[in-house]
Amino acid sequence: MFFSASAQVVTHDLNFDYENIGKSITYFKDESAKLSLAQIKAIDASGKFVPGKQDILNFGNSTAATWIKINHIHTSLSRSYLIVDAPNIEHIDCYILSKELILNHMKSGSLSYPAPGVTIESNFVFKLPDGKNDSVSSIYLRLKTNNIMLVPLKLATPEAIMRGKAIKDRIEYVYIGVLIALLLFNLFLFTSLKDTTYLYYTAYVLTLSSYLLIYIRGYGFLFGDELRILFSYHPHVFLSFSMVTSLIFCKKFLNLEHTVPWMLKIYYFLGCCAIVLFFTSVSGNKSLSASIAQVMTFTVSIVLWISGIIAYVKGHKPAKYYIIAWFFIWLTVGIVTFSLAGVLETNEFTMQLIPIGSTLELLLLSFALGDRYRIIIKTEQDVRDENLVLVQDQKQRLEDLVQKRTELLTKTIAELESSNAVKNKLFSIIAHDLRSPLNSLMSILSLNDVDALTMEDIQHMLKENKKNIETIYNTLNNLLYWAKSQMGGIVTDPVSFDLKVLIDELMLVYSPLMRKKDITPEVHIAGSFPVYADENQIRLVLRNLIDNAIKFTSKGQLVTLSLNPIGNDVQVCVSNPLDDPADVDISNMTGHRIVHSSYGTDQEKGVGLGLHLCREYISSNGGELKIKQDGGVISFCFLIPKGKD
């Protein structure tokens, strides 16, 4: 009764491999999805079951129930298993009939809990009953799902299952490892670079990987039966998220607002469609969600690929790998779509194509991000190179300006030497720094009055005197700042600056004075020293300390200036030898009183105000002036907070 002439028989022995048997079975589509097993056996007896034509059966997106019959001959005493090698078929009823008409009914599916005789992991494994050699049993499978139904069927012994799963698992472990590596690596790049492009890419990897692994490959069972069933009720939620994140990522990566702004409306429309997919999936309408997902997946990949081509043509060079990635994915989706439509044959390669293709797409997009970062760095380097060329072109002009400035500083030093009071020193500097630039401007105006200059000459000379005008402005600021401090209104305005640069400027002023007195400057500064303090106040402190060291150093001696990092501060020390250490009373230099003035080694006269100003300004910058004597050398040291590099 059960083995008509139209039935096909599958020979199963120890040599039977872990392969699909779609061409060795017969099937019947129950459009009403209401037929009982007895009715199906009658239909089978009438010869209405259709032989399978592909290794993997493809029944499309249908609400019908599909009945599959397998005639199984036991040729070995080894136990055999029937494997439905797909994770997302909702309802599976397995009926096993022997010659004695003993019926064994096992129920399973993605919406079912584990049952005796059935193993649910990334597929469904039904344990077939033991039988004698060459005994025949009939297996009826009733399959129903509100989704696209691909049915890879396998019959195998435990040994064959182990061999087949080993090959399959190796492939899956590779792309799972790649997905995890991409996720963690780009998350690290986002936290390091703070570039939201990497965050959007990470979100895309996470959502797409979740859809591929939990639904397509069936790894939802790792989270327990409750979550596995929940995922199966709403499988396209992760896909809708991945579509939204892919659109956001591509919009950011392609800089779409500037490269292809007219495509923004298409992106927004596709985003709205992805939101519709989310709600249809959440509502449990899997059949409609599957249809939307098929259309959306292909459409989104095509649109993103086209936008990448247009952006690349318009000069967005990082889109090179991006174009390859989306070409690869829409080609993959196209092949799978044609397979589902029956145009191409569905086989084991087709089942693995979407996970492998999606993994390669994500890998290529990661290459695109790397290429994007490389181009950004190269662009910045090109800008720096251009700036370097500009600096080199202006080198000669800068040397001339430095020479003029050196001459002005030399005259200022001469005036400082003849001064015997802090106020006179400051005003002599101010008078020179103001008078010289103004004289230069007056000369230009005088020549202009007698029509001795052309307009081009005037423009050139004014451009050359721009630095002088800035000097007048800075000098006036210094004057007002000093005057305010004399009235008891010290206001500290800390900024970040390089202390080494400031000392180099001061040494240009004081080196000629040292040479005149036959004093050798010894500067111990290695590298840059960024500090955070009031630059004008520190400048005045260093001037006083250096001037004081020169004043009390005999000819042929050394004046030492050093910078040393100490914790979060920079220590500044100015040291000079003493002619007669016994005559120096350090206690007279401490406290906040004005020190009594004394003559220098060349009878230089002071007013005793400099050390008092140094102490006040150092204190206002968070430091303390310390004076120490080590044998015949006296040192004036203080700390300044470090700044950022």
Side-chain angles (χ1 to χ4, degrees), residues 212-224:
L212 293 175
L213 298 178
I214 293 176
Y215 178 63
I216 299 296
R217 301 313 304 162
Y219 284 95
F221 75 93
L222 296 174
F223 302 97

Side-chain angles (χ1 to χ4, degrees), residues 433-448:
D433 285 352
L434 289 175
R435 184 164 59 252
S436 296
L438 288 173
N439 285 340
S440 178
L441 289 174
M442 291 176 63
S443 299
I444 295 173
L445 295 174
S446 298
L447 291 171
N448 185 51

Side-chain angles (χ1 to χ4, degrees), residues 165-179:
K165 281 183 61 65
I167 297 173
K168 178 182 174 183
D169 289 345
R170 288 191 191 101
I171 297 173
E172 293 187 347
Y173 291 160
V174 168
Y175 60 73
I176 290 174
V178 171
L179 292 174

Side-chain angles (χ1 to χ4, degrees), residues 72-87:
H72 174 223
I73 299 178
H74 292 277
T75 59
S76 170
L77 292 177
S78 176
R79 180 178 293 278
S80 57
Y81 295 84
L82 172 64
I83 301 102
V84 181
D85 204 12

Side-chain angles (χ1 to χ4, degrees), residues 412-477:
T412 302
I413 292 170
E415 294 178 12
L416 283 172
E417 287 182 301
S418 63
S419 175
N420 61 357
V422 172
K423 181 173 66 175
N424 292 337
K425 290 179 184 179
L426 292 173
F427 277 107
S428 66
I429 294 171
I430 293 167
H432 179 269
D433 285 352
L434 289 175
R435 184 164 59 252
S436 296
L438 288 173
N439 285 340
S440 178
L441 289 174
M442 291 176 63
S443 299
I444 295 173
L445 295 174
S446 298
L447 291 171
N448 185 51
D449 288 341
V450 298
D451 296 330
L453 296 174
T454 65
M455 181 57 68
E456 184 179 353
D457 293 335
I458 294 174
Q459 291 176 346
H460 177 72
M461 296 183 74
L462 286 176
K463 189 174 182 180
E464 292 292 326
N465 278 270
K466 179 181 178 182
K467 187 66 178 179
N468 293 333
I469 297 171
E470 292 175 353
T471 302
I472 296 172
Y473 176 77
N474 293 332
T475 305
L476 287 173
N477 280 339

Side-chain angles (χ1 to χ4, degrees), residues 611-629:
L611 196 59
H612 175 74
L613 289 173
C614 289
R615 189 177 294 109
E616 292 295 329
Y617 285 147
I618 291 171
S619 177
S620 68
N621 283 276
E624 180 183 357
L625 180 63
K626 294 185 178 181
I627 306 171
K628 58 182 179 180
Q629 184 178 348

